[in-house]
Amino acid sequence: MENASDSGTEIDEAGAGQLTIYADFNCPFCYALNERIHAMSLQTRVEYRNVQRAPGNSQIQPDFELLSDLTTEVAEVRRRAPSTRINVPMI
């Protein structure tokens, strides 16, 4: 018997079908997801759709609050995905 997704389409034995991922690569969580996808060699099954998670944050000079939020998010990614190498960017 073959594996099937909820939609009835065939999927491989590992249970992974085609994935559509909406991601903002300025987001630490999206970056961690991308790294995990590559580590699992699933990148050929992914169709990326770019989004801008926080369009108001596209400033030339980021403010203290923005840098603080980014530092907090990077720390959370490190906690949730310790194998992902990530640093707060030098802005």
Side-chain angles (χ1 to χ4, degrees):
M1 184 159 114
E2 297 180 52
N3 291 328
S5 69
D6 291 339
S7 65
T9 58
E10 185 178 324
I11 56 178
D12 73 1
E13 294 172 6
Q18 191 68 20
L19 304 169
T20 302
I21 295 178
Y22 294 83
D24 177 350
F25 289 105
N26 289 319
C27 167
F29 299 102
C30 295
Y31 171 78
L33 174 62
N34 183 62
E35 292 299 298
R36 182 157 294 175
I37 286 168
H38 279 277
M40 296 170 61
S41 298
L42 295 175
Q43 61 270 20
T44 60
R45 297 173 183 224
V46 174
E47 178 183 342
Y48 285 99
R49 303 226 174 130
N50 297 320
V51 296
Q52 191 170 7
R53 183 177 71 126
N57 290 344
S58 298
Q59 304 172 18
I60 300 297
Q61 281 296 110
D63 60 10
F64 179 75
E65 183 179 343
L66 176 63
L67 291 174
S68 177
D69 290 346
L70 182 59
T71 301
T72 301
E73 289 178 350
V74 167
E76 185 63 18
V77 168
R78 286 180 181 154
R79 186 184 72 76
R80 291 183 185 188
S83 62
T84 301
R85 294 180 51 172
I86 187 169
N87 293 310
V88 177
M90 300 290 291
I91 298 177

Coordinates of all heavy atoms in Angstrom, one line a residue:
M1 N 0.8 -1.2 0.0 CA 0.0 0.0 0.0 C 0.9 1.2 0.0 O 1.9 1.3 0.7 CB -0.9 0.0 1.2 CG -1.8 1.1 1.3 SD -3.2 0.8 2.4 CE -2.9 2.0 3.6
E2 N 0.5 2.2 -0.8 CA 1.3 3.5 -0.9 C 0.8 4.5 0.1 O -0.3 4.5 0.5 CB 1.2 4.0 -2.3 CG 1.8 3.1 -3.4 CD 1.6 3.7 -4.7 OE1 2.1 4.8 -4.9 OE2 1.1 3.0 -5.6
N3 N 1.8 5.4 0.5 CA 1.4 6.5 1.4 C 0.7 7.5 0.6 O 0.9 7.8 -0.6 CB 2.6 7.1 2.0 CG 3.3 6.2 3.0 OD1 2.6 5.4 3.6 ND2 4.6 6.2 3.1
A4 N -0.3 8.2 1.2 CA -1.0 9.3 0.6 C -1.2 10.4 1.5 O -1.3 10.2 2.7 CB -2.3 8.8 0.0
S5 N -1.2 11.6 1.0 CA -1.5 12.8 1.9 C -3.0 12.9 2.1 O -3.8 12.1 1.5 CB -1.0 14.1 1.2 OG -1.7 14.3 0.1
D6 N -3.4 13.9 2.9 CA -4.8 14.1 3.1 C -5.6 14.4 1.8 O -6.8 14.1 1.7 CB -5.0 15.2 4.1 CG -4.6 14.8 5.5 OD1 -4.5 13.6 5.8 OD2 -4.3 15.7 6.3
S7 N -4.9 15.0 0.9 CA -5.5 15.3 -0.4 C -5.6 14.2 -1.3 O -6.2 14.3 -2.4 CB -4.8 16.5 -1.1 OG -3.5 16.1 -1.4
G8 N -5.0 13.0 -1.0 CA -5.0 11.9 -1.8 C -3.9 11.7 -2.8 O -3.8 10.8 -3.5
T9 N -2.9 12.7 -2.8 CA -1.8 12.6 -3.7 C -0.7 11.7 -3.0 O -0.6 11.6 -1.8 CB -1.2 14.0 -4.0 OG1 -0.8 14.6 -2.7 CG2 -2.2 14.9 -4.7
E10 N 0.0 11.0 -3.9 CA 1.0 10.1 -3.4 C 2.2 10.9 -2.8 O 2.6 11.9 -3.3 CB 1.5 9.3 -4.6 CG 2.5 8.2 -4.2 CD 3.0 7.3 -5.3 OE1 2.2 7.1 -6.2 OE2 4.1 7.0 -5.3
I11 N 2.7 10.4 -1.7 CA 3.9 11.0 -1.1 C 4.9 9.9 -0.9 O 4.6 8.7 -1.0 CB 3.6 11.7 0.2 CG1 2.9 10.8 1.2 CG2 2.7 12.9 -0.1 CD1 2.6 11.4 2.5
D12 N 6.2 10.2 -0.7 CA 7.2 9.2 -0.5 C 7.1 8.5 0.8 O 6.3 8.9 1.7 CB 8.6 9.8 -0.7 CG 9.1 10.7 0.4 OD1 8.3 10.8 1.4 OD2 10.2 11.2 0.4
E13 N 8.0 7.5 1.0 CA 7.9 6.7 2.2 C 8.2 7.5 3.5 O 7.9 7.1 4.6 CB 8.8 5.5 2.0 CG 8.3 4.6 0.9 CD 9.2 3.5 0.6 OE1 10.3 3.3 1.3 OE2 9.0 2.8 -0.4
A14 N 9.0 8.6 3.3 CA 9.3 9.4 4.5 C 8.1 10.2 4.9 O 8.2 10.8 6.0 CB 10.5 10.2 4.2
G15 N 7.1 10.3 4.1 CA 5.9 11.1 4.4 C 6.0 12.5 4.0 O 5.1 13.3 4.4
A16 N 7.0 12.9 3.2 CA 7.1 14.3 2.8 C 6.7 14.5 1.4 O 7.2 13.9 0.5 CB 8.5 14.8 3.1
G17 N 5.7 15.3 1.2 CA 5.3 15.7 -0.2 C 5.9 17.0 -0.6 O 6.9 17.4 0.0
Q18 N 5.3 17.7 -1.5 CA 5.8 19.0 -1.9 C 5.4 20.0 -0.9 O 4.3 20.0 -0.4 CB 5.2 19.4 -3.3 CG 5.9 20.6 -3.9 CD 7.3 20.4 -4.4 OE1 7.7 19.3 -4.5 NE2 8.0 21.5 -4.5
L19 N 6.3 20.9 -0.5 CA 6.1 21.9 0.5 C 6.1 23.3 -0.1 O 6.9 23.6 -0.9 CB 7.2 21.9 1.6 CG 7.4 20.5 2.3 CD1 8.6 20.6 3.1 CD2 6.2 20.2 3.1
T20 N 5.1 24.2 0.3 CA 5.2 25.6 0.0 C 5.4 26.3 1.3 O 4.7 26.2 2.3 CB 3.8 26.0 -0.6 OG1 3.5 25.3 -1.8 CG2 3.8 27.5 -1.0
I21 N 6.5 27.1 1.3 CA 6.9 27.8 2.5 C 6.9 29.3 2.2 O 7.5 29.8 1.3 CB 8.3 27.3 3.0 CG1 8.2 25.9 3.4 CG2 8.8 28.2 4.1 CD1 9.5 25.3 3.8
Y22 N 6.1 30.0 3.1 CA 6.1 31.5 3.0 C 7.1 31.9 4.1 O 7.0 31.7 5.2 CB 4.7 32.0 3.4 CG 3.7 31.6 2.3 CD1 3.1 30.3 2.3 CD2 3.4 32.5 1.3 CE1 2.2 30.0 1.4 CE2 2.4 32.1 0.3 CZ 1.8 30.9 0.4 OH 0.9 30.5 -0.6
A23 N 8.2 32.7 3.6 CA 9.2 33.0 4.5 C 9.8 34.4 4.2 O 9.8 34.8 3.1 CB 10.3 31.9 4.4
D24 N 10.3 35.0 5.2 CA 11.0 36.3 5.2 C 12.4 35.9 5.6 O 12.6 35.6 6.8 CB 10.4 37.3 6.1 CG 11.1 38.6 6.1 OD1 12.3 38.7 5.6 OD2 10.6 39.6 6.6
F25 N 13.4 36.0 4.8 CA 14.7 35.6 5.1 C 15.5 36.6 6.0 O 16.6 36.4 6.4 CB 15.6 35.2 3.9 CG 15.1 33.9 3.3 CD1 14.3 33.9 2.2 CD2 15.3 32.7 4.0 CE1 13.8 32.7 1.7 CE2 14.8 31.5 3.5 CZ 14.1 31.5 2.3
N26 N 14.8 37.7 6.4 CA 15.3 38.6 7.4 C 14.8 38.1 8.8 O 15.2 38.7 9.8 CB 14.9 40.0 7.2 CG 15.6 40.6 6.0 OD1 16.8 40.4 5.8 ND2 14.9 41.3 5.2
C27 N 14.0 37.1 8.8 CA 13.4 36.6 10.1 C 14.3 35.4 10.6 O 14.6 34.4 9.8 CB 12.0 36.1 9.8 SG 11.3 35.1 11.1
P28 N 14.8 35.5 11.8 CA 15.6 34.4 12.3 C 14.9 33.0 12.3 O 15.6 32.0 12.1 CB 15.9 34.8 13.8 CG 15.7 36.3 13.8 CD 14.6 36.6 12.8
F29 N 13.6 33.0 12.6 CA 12.9 31.7 12.6 C 12.8 31.1 11.2 O 12.9 29.9 11.0 CB 11.5 31.9 13.2 CG 11.5 32.4 14.6 CD1 11.3 33.7 14.9 CD2 11.8 31.5 15.6 CE1 11.3 34.2 16.2 CE2 11.8 32.0 17.0 CZ 11.6 33.3 17.2
C30 N 12.6 32.0 10.2 CA 12.6 31.5 8.8 C 13.9 31.0 8.4 O 14.0 30.0 7.7 CB 12.1 32.6 7.9 SG 10.4 33.2 8.1
Y31 N 15.0 31.6 8.8 CA 16.3 31.2 8.6 C 16.6 29.8 9.2 O 17.1 28.9 8.5 CB 17.4 32.2 9.1 CG 18.8 31.7 9.0 CD1 19.5 31.7 7.8 CD2 19.4 31.2 10.2 CE1 20.8 31.2 7.8 CE2 20.7 30.7 10.1 CZ 21.4 30.7 8.9 OH 22.6 30.2 8.8
A32 N 16.2 29.6 10.4 CA 16.3 28.3 11.1 C 15.6 27.2 10.3 O 16.1 26.1 10.2 CB 15.9 28.4 12.5
L33 N 14.4 27.5 9.9 CA 13.6 26.6 9.1 C 14.3 26.2 7.8 O 14.4 25.0 7.4 CB 12.2 27.1 8.8 CG 11.3 26.3 7.8 CD1 11.1 24.9 8.5 CD2 10.1 27.0 7.5
N34 N 14.9 27.2 7.1 CA 15.6 26.9 5.9 C 16.8 26.1 6.1 O 17.1 25.1 5.4 CB 16.0 28.3 5.3 CG 16.7 28.1 3.9 OD1 16.2 27.5 3.0 ND2 18.0 28.5 3.9
E35 N 17.5 26.3 7.2 CA 18.7 25.5 7.6 C 18.3 24.0 7.9 O 19.0 23.1 7.5 CB 19.4 26.1 8.8 CG 20.1 27.4 8.5 CD 21.2 27.3 7.4 OE1 22.1 26.5 7.6 OE2 21.0 27.9 6.3
R36 N 17.2 23.9 8.5 CA 16.7 22.5 8.8 C 16.3 21.8 7.6 O 16.5 20.6 7.4 CB 15.5 22.6 9.8 CG 15.0 21.2 10.2 CD 14.3 21.2 11.4 NE 15.2 21.5 12.5 CZ 14.9 21.6 13.8 NH1 13.6 21.5 14.1 NH2 15.7 21.9 14.7
I37 N 15.6 22.5 6.6 CA 15.2 21.9 5.4 C 16.5 21.4 4.6 O 16.5 20.3 4.1 CB 14.4 22.9 4.5 CG1 13.0 23.0 5.1 CG2 14.4 22.5 3.1 CD1 12.2 24.1 4.6
H38 N 17.5 22.2 4.6 CA 18.8 21.8 3.9 C 19.4 20.6 4.7 O 19.9 19.7 4.0 CB 19.7 23.0 3.8 CG 19.4 23.9 2.7 ND1 19.8 23.6 1.4 CD2 18.7 25.0 2.6 CE1 19.4 24.5 0.6 NE2 18.7 25.4 1.3
A39 N 19.4 20.6 6.0 CA 20.0 19.5 6.7 C 19.3 18.2 6.5 O 19.9 17.1 6.5 CB 20.0 19.8 8.2
M40 N 18.0 18.3 6.2 CA 17.2 17.1 5.9 C 17.1 16.8 4.4 O 16.4 15.8 4.0 CB 15.7 17.3 6.4 CG 15.7 17.4 7.9 SD 14.1 18.0 8.5 CE 13.0 16.6 8.0
S41 N 17.9 17.5 3.6 CA 17.9 17.4 2.1 C 16.5 17.4 1.5 O 16.2 16.6 0.6 CB 18.7 16.1 1.8 OG 20.0 16.1 2.2
L42 N 15.7 18.3 1.9 CA 14.4 18.5 1.4 C 14.2 19.7 0.5 O 13.1 20.0 0.0 CB 13.3 18.6 2.5 CG 13.2 17.3 3.4 CD1 12.2 17.6 4.6 CD2 12.7 16.2 2.6
Q43 N 15.3 20.4 0.2 CA 15.2 21.6 -0.6 C 14.6 21.4 -2.0 O 14.0 22.3 -2.5 CB 16.5 22.4 -0.6 CG 17.7 21.6 -1.3 CD 18.5 20.8 -0.3 OE1 18.0 20.4 0.8 NE2 19.7 20.4 -0.7
T44 N 14.7 20.2 -2.6 CA 14.1 20.0 -3.9 C 12.6 19.9 -3.8 O 11.9 20.0 -4.9 CB 14.7 18.8 -4.6 OG1 14.4 17.6 -3.7 CG2 16.2 18.9 -4.8
R45 N 12.1 19.7 -2.6 CA 10.6 19.6 -2.5 C 9.9 20.9 -2.0 O 8.8 20.9 -1.7 CB 10.3 18.5 -1.5 CG 10.8 17.2 -1.9 CD 10.6 16.2 -0.8 NE 11.2 15.0 -1.3 CZ 10.6 13.8 -1.1 NH1 9.4 13.7 -0.4 NH2 11.1 12.7 -1.5
V46 N 10.7 22.0 -1.9 CA 10.2 23.2 -1.4 C 10.1 24.3 -2.4 O 10.9 24.5 -3.2 CB 11.1 23.7 -0.3 CG1 10.7 25.1 0.2 CG2 11.2 22.8 0.9
E47 N 8.9 24.9 -2.4 CA 8.7 26.1 -3.2 C 8.6 27.2 -2.2 O 7.7 27.3 -1.4 CB 7.4 26.0 -4.0 CG 7.1 27.2 -4.8 CD 5.8 27.1 -5.6 OE1 5.2 26.0 -5.8 OE2 5.3 28.2 -6.0
Y48 N 9.5 28.2 -2.3 CA 9.5 29.3 -1.4 C 8.7 30.4 -2.0 O 8.7 30.7 -3.2 CB 11.0 29.8 -1.2 CG 11.8 28.9 -0.3 CD1 12.7 28.0 -0.8 CD2 11.6 29.0 1.1 CE1 13.4 27.2 0.0 CE2 12.3 28.2 1.9 CZ 13.2 27.3 1.4 OH 14.0 26.5 2.2
R49 N 8.0 31.1 -1.1 CA 7.2 32.3 -1.5 C 7.7 33.3 -0.5 O 7.5 33.2 0.7 CB 5.7 32.0 -1.4 CG 5.3 30.9 -2.3 CD 4.1 31.2 -3.1 NE 3.9 30.1 -4.0 CZ 2.7 29.5 -4.1 NH1 1.7 29.9 -3.4 NH2 2.5 28.6 -5.0
N50 N 8.3 34.4 -1.0 CA 8.9 35.4 -0.1 C 7.8 36.3 0.4 O 6.9 36.7 -0.4 CB 9.9 36.2 -0.9 CG 11.1 35.3 -1.3 OD1 11.5 34.5 -0.5 ND2 11.6 35.5 -2.5
V51 N 7.9 36.7 1.7 CA 7.0 37.6 2.3 C 7.9 38.6 3.1 O 9.0 38.3 3.4 CB 5.9 37.0 3.2 CG1 5.0 36.1 2.4 CG2 6.6 36.2 4.3
Q52 N 7.3 39.7 3.4 CA 8.0 40.7 4.2 C 7.3 40.8 5.5 O 6.2 41.3 5.6 CB 8.2 42.1 3.6 CG 9.1 42.9 4.3 CD 9.4 44.2 3.6 OE1 8.8 44.5 2.5 NE2 10.3 45.0 4.0
R53 N 7.8 40.1 6.6 CA 7.1 40.0 7.8 C 6.9 41.3 8.5 O 5.8 41.5 9.1 CB 8.0 39.1 8.7 CG 7.4 38.7 10.1 CD 8.3 37.8 10.8 NE 9.5 38.4 11.2 CZ 9.9 38.5 12.5 NH1 9.3 37.8 13.4 NH2 11.0 39.1 12.8
A54 N 7.8 42.2 8.5 CA 7.6 43.5 9.2 C 8.1 44.6 8.3 O 9.2 45.0 8.4 CB 8.4 43.5 10.5
P55 N 7.3 45.0 7.3 CA 7.8 46.0 6.3 C 8.2 47.3 7.0 O 9.0 48.0 6.4 CB 6.6 46.2 5.4 CG 5.4 45.6 6.1 CD 5.9 44.6 7.1
G56 N 7.7 47.7 8.1 CA 8.1 48.9 8.8 C 9.5 48.9 9.3 O 10.0 49.9 9.7
N57 N 10.1 47.7 9.4 CA 11.4 47.6 9.9 C 12.5 47.8 8.9 O 13.7 47.6 9.1 CB 11.6 46.2 10.6 CG 10.8 46.1 11.8 OD1 10.4 47.1 12.4 ND2 10.6 44.9 12.3
S58 N 12.2 48.1 7.6 CA 13.1 48.4 6.6 C 13.7 49.8 6.7 O 13.4 50.6 5.8 CB 12.5 48.1 5.2 OG 12.1 46.8 5.1
Q59 N 14.4 50.0 7.7 CA 15.0 51.4 7.9 C 16.5 51.3 7.6 O 17.1 50.3 7.8 CB 14.8 51.8 9.4 CG 13.3 51.7 9.8 CD 13.2 52.0 11.3 OE1 14.1 52.5 11.9 NE2 12.1 51.6 11.9
I60 N 17.0 52.5 7.3 CA 18.4 52.6 7.0 C 19.1 52.5 8.4 O 20.1 51.8 8.6 CB 18.8 54.0 6.4 CG1 18.1 54.1 5.0 CG2 20.3 54.1 6.2 CD1 18.5 53.0 4.0
Q61 N 18.6 53.2 9.4 CA 19.2 53.2 10.8 C 18.2 52.5 11.7 O 17.2 53.1 12.1 CB 19.5 54.6 11.3 CG 20.7 55.3 10.7 CD 22.0 54.5 11.2 OE1 22.6 53.9 10.4 NE2 22.3 54.6 12.4
P62 N 18.4 51.2 12.0 CA 17.5 50.5 12.9 C 17.6 51.2 14.3 O 18.7 51.6 14.8 CB 18.0 49.1 12.9 CG 19.4 49.1 12.4 CD 19.5 50.4 11.6
D63 N 16.5 51.2 15.0 CA 16.5 51.8 16.3 C 16.7 50.7 17.4 O 16.8 49.5 17.1 CB 15.1 52.5 16.6 CG 13.9 51.6 16.5 OD1 14.1 50.3 16.4 OD2 12.8 52.1 16.6
F64 N 16.9 51.1 18.6 CA 17.2 50.3 19.7 C 16.2 49.2 19.9 O 16.5 48.0 20.1 CB 17.4 51.1 21.0 CG 17.7 50.2 22.2 CD1 19.0 49.7 22.3 CD2 16.8 49.9 23.1 CE1 19.3 48.9 23.4 CE2 17.1 49.1 24.2 CZ 18.3 48.6 24.4
E65 N 14.9 49.5 19.8 CA 13.8 48.5 20.0 C 13.9 47.4 18.9 O 13.7 46.2 19.3 CB 12.5 49.2 19.9 CG 11.3 48.3 20.2 CD 10.0 49.0 20.1 OE1 9.9 50.2 20.2 OE2 9.0 48.3 20.0
L66 N 14.2 47.8 17.7 CA 14.3 46.8 16.6 C 15.5 45.8 16.9 O 15.3 44.6 16.8 CB 14.5 47.5 15.3 CG 14.7 46.6 14.1 CD1 13.5 45.7 13.8 CD2 15.0 47.4 12.9
L67 N 16.6 46.4 17.3 CA 17.8 45.6 17.6 C 17.5 44.7 18.8 O 18.0 43.5 18.8 CB 19.0 46.4 17.8 CG 19.5 47.1 16.5 CD1 20.7 48.1 16.9 CD2 20.0 46.2 15.5
S68 N 16.8 45.2 19.8 CA 16.5 44.4 21.0 C 15.6 43.2 20.6 O 15.8 42.1 21.0 CB 15.8 45.3 22.0 OG 15.4 44.6 23.1
D69 N 14.6 43.5 19.8 CA 13.7 42.4 19.3 C 14.4 41.4 18.5 O 14.2 40.2 18.7 CB 12.5 43.0 18.5 CG 11.5 43.8 19.2 OD1 11.6 43.8 20.5 OD2 10.7 44.6 18.6
L70 N 15.3 41.8 17.7 CA 16.1 40.9 16.8 C 17.0 40.0 17.7 O 17.1 38.8 17.5 CB 16.9 41.6 15.8 CG 17.7 40.8 14.9 CD1 16.8 39.8 14.1 CD2 18.5 41.6 13.9
T71 N 17.6 40.6 18.7 CA 18.5 39.9 19.6 C 17.6 38.8 20.4 O 18.1 37.7 20.6 CB 19.1 40.8 20.6 OG1 19.9 41.8 19.9 CG2 20.1 40.1 21.6
T72 N 16.4 39.2 20.8 CA 15.6 38.3 21.5 C 15.2 37.1 20.6 O 15.2 35.9 21.1 CB 14.3 39.0 22.1 OG1 14.7 40.0 22.9 CG2 13.4 38.1 22.8
E73 N 14.8 37.4 19.4 CA 14.4 36.3 18.4 C 15.6 35.4 18.1 O 15.4 34.2 18.1 CB 13.9 37.0 17.1 CG 12.6 37.6 17.3 CD 12.1 38.3 16.0 OE1 12.8 38.4 15.1 OE2 10.9 38.7 16.0
V74 N 16.8 35.9 18.0 CA 17.9 35.1 17.7 C 18.2 34.2 18.9 O 18.5 33.0 18.8 CB 19.2 35.9 17.3 CG1 20.5 35.1 17.4 CG2 19.0 36.6 16.0
A75 N 18.1 34.7 20.1 CA 18.3 33.9 21.3 C 17.2 32.8 21.4 O 17.5 31.6 21.8 CB 18.2 34.8 22.6
E76 N 16.0 33.1 21.0 CA 14.9 32.0 21.0 C 15.2 31.0 19.9 O 15.0 29.8 20.2 CB 13.6 32.7 20.7 CG 12.4 31.8 20.8 CD 12.2 31.1 22.2 OE1 12.7 31.7 23.2 OE2 11.5 30.1 22.3
V77 N 15.7 31.4 18.8 CA 16.1 30.4 17.7 C 17.2 29.5 18.3 O 17.2 28.2 18.1 CB 16.5 31.0 16.4 CG1 17.2 30.0 15.5 CG2 15.3 31.7 15.8
R78 N 18.2 30.1 18.9 CA 19.3 29.3 19.5 C 18.7 28.3 20.5 O 19.2 27.1 20.6 CB 20.3 30.2 20.2 CG 21.2 30.9 19.2 CD 22.2 31.8 20.0 NE 23.0 32.5 19.1 CZ 23.6 33.6 19.4 NH1 23.4 34.2 20.6 NH2 24.3 34.3 18.5
R79 N 17.7 28.7 21.3 CA 17.1 27.8 22.3 C 16.4 26.7 21.7 O 16.5 25.5 22.1 CB 16.2 28.6 23.3 CG 15.7 27.8 24.4 CD 14.7 28.6 25.3 NE 13.4 28.8 24.6 CZ 12.5 27.9 24.5 NH1 12.7 26.7 25.0 NH2 11.3 28.2 23.9
R80 N 15.6 27.0 20.7 CA 14.7 26.0 20.0 C 15.4 25.1 19.1 O 15.0 24.0 18.8 CB 13.6 26.7 19.3 CG 12.6 27.4 20.2 CD 11.5 27.9 19.3 NE 10.5 28.7 20.1 CZ 9.4 29.2 19.7 NH1 9.1 29.0 18.4 NH2 8.6 29.9 20.4
A81 N 16.5 25.6 18.4 CA 17.2 24.9 17.4 C 18.7 25.0 17.6 O 19.4 25.7 16.9 CB 16.8 25.4 16.0
P82 N 19.2 24.4 18.7 CA 20.6 24.6 19.1 C 21.6 24.2 18.0 O 22.7 24.7 18.0 CB 20.7 23.8 20.4 CG 19.6 22.8 20.4 CD 18.5 23.5 19.6
S83 N 21.2 23.3 17.1 CA 22.2 22.9 16.0 C 22.3 24.0 14.9 O 23.2 23.9 14.1 CB 21.8 21.6 15.4 OG 20.5 21.7 14.8
T84 N 21.4 25.0 14.9 CA 21.4 26.0 13.9 C 22.4 27.1 14.3 O 22.3 27.7 15.4 CB 20.0 26.6 13.7 OG1 19.2 25.6 13.3 CG2 20.1 27.7 12.6
R85 N 23.4 27.4 13.5 CA 24.3 28.4 13.7 C 23.7 29.8 13.3 O 23.4 29.9 12.1 CB 25.7 28.2 13.0 CG 26.4 27.0 13.6 CD 27.6 26.7 12.8 NE 28.4 28.0 12.8 CZ 29.7 28.0 12.4 NH1 30.3 27.0 12.0 NH2 30.3 29.2 12.4
I86 N 23.6 30.7 14.2 CA 22.9 32.0 13.9 C 23.5 33.0 14.9 O 23.7 32.7 16.1 CB 21.4 31.9 14.0 CG1 20.7 33.2 13.6 CG2 20.9 31.5 15.4 CD1 19.2 33.1 13.4
N87 N 23.7 34.2 14.3 CA 24.2 35.3 15.1 C 23.3 36.6 14.8 O 22.8 36.7 13.8 CB 25.6 35.6 14.8 CG 26.6 34.5 15.2 OD1 26.5 34.1 16.4 ND2 27.4 34.1 14.3
V88 N 23.3 37.5 15.8 CA 22.7 38.8 15.5 C 23.6 39.5 14.5 O 24.8 39.6 14.7 CB 22.6 39.6 16.8 CG1 22.0 41.0 16.5 CG2 21.8 38.8 17.9
P89 N 23.0 40.0 13.4 CA 23.8 40.6 12.4 C 24.4 41.9 12.9 O 23.8 42.6 13.7 CB 22.8 40.8 11.2 CG 21.5 40.8 11.8 CD 21.6 39.9 13.0
M90 N 25.6 42.2 12.4 CA 26.2 43.5 12.7 C 25.5 44.6 11.7 O 25.7 44.5 10.5 CB 27.7 43.5 12.4 CG 28.4 42.5 13.2 SD 28.5 42.9 14.9 CE 29.6 44.3 14.9
I91 N 24.7 45.4 12.3 CA 24.0 46.4 11.5 C 24.7 47.8 11.6 O 25.0 48.2 12.7 CB 22.5 46.5 11.9 CG1 21.9 45.1 11.7 CG2 21.8 47.6 11.2 CD1 20.4 45.1 12.2

